[in-house]
Amino acid sequence: MPGRGFATTHWSVVLCAGESQTPQSAMALENLCSSYWYPLYAFVRNCGHGSEEARDLTQEFFARLLEKKWLKTADPQRGRFRTFLLSALK
């Protein structure tokens, strides 16, 4: 997966993923998680964590993102989605 950077954000997908549990929101959430998992993992690796620890931290981040429903707070007027994710990850 080398060379996979942050995907271009489609805010309609982000907003749909932040909605209540519908088949469409579940598909949108799956799309976001698969698109952003590797770039966030790579960011954690670049912060000095080993591969296993980086995997665990990335998985923990996504679990917390879902548990706390942080996607509901994402707002395209406040900037890029990748900035939102990286700020939340830090």
Side-chain angles (χ1 to χ4, degrees), residues 3-90:
R4 284 187 45 194
F6 283 94
T8 300
T9 301
H10 299 281
W11 276 100
S12 60
V13 176
V14 175
L15 298 174
C16 182
E19 293 177 1
S20 61
Q21 295 296 331
T22 66
Q24 294 82 9
S25 67
M27 286 176 38
L29 186 57
E30 182 179 336
N31 181 289
L32 286 177
C33 290
S34 65
S35 296
Y36 287 96
W37 191 92
Y38 186 82
L40 291 173
Y41 164 78
F43 176 82
V44 173
R45 284 296 310 264
N46 286 333
C47 288
H49 298 281
S51 63
E52 289 298 317
E53 185 179 17
R55 278 189 206 108
D56 289 345
L57 290 169
T58 304
Q59 288 300 110
E60 182 180 327
F61 168 73
F62 276 103
R64 192 168 290 156
L65 180 82
L66 299 174
E67 176 188 338
K68 304 281 185 183
K69 299 181 180 25
W70 287 340
L71 288 176
K72 288 185 178 223
T73 66
D75 181 358
Q77 300 301 317
R78 295 179 68 196
R80 293 179 170 189
F81 184 60
R82 69 186 77 177
T83 303
F84 169 83
L85 287 175
L86 289 171
S87 295
L89 179 63
K90 289 176 189 176

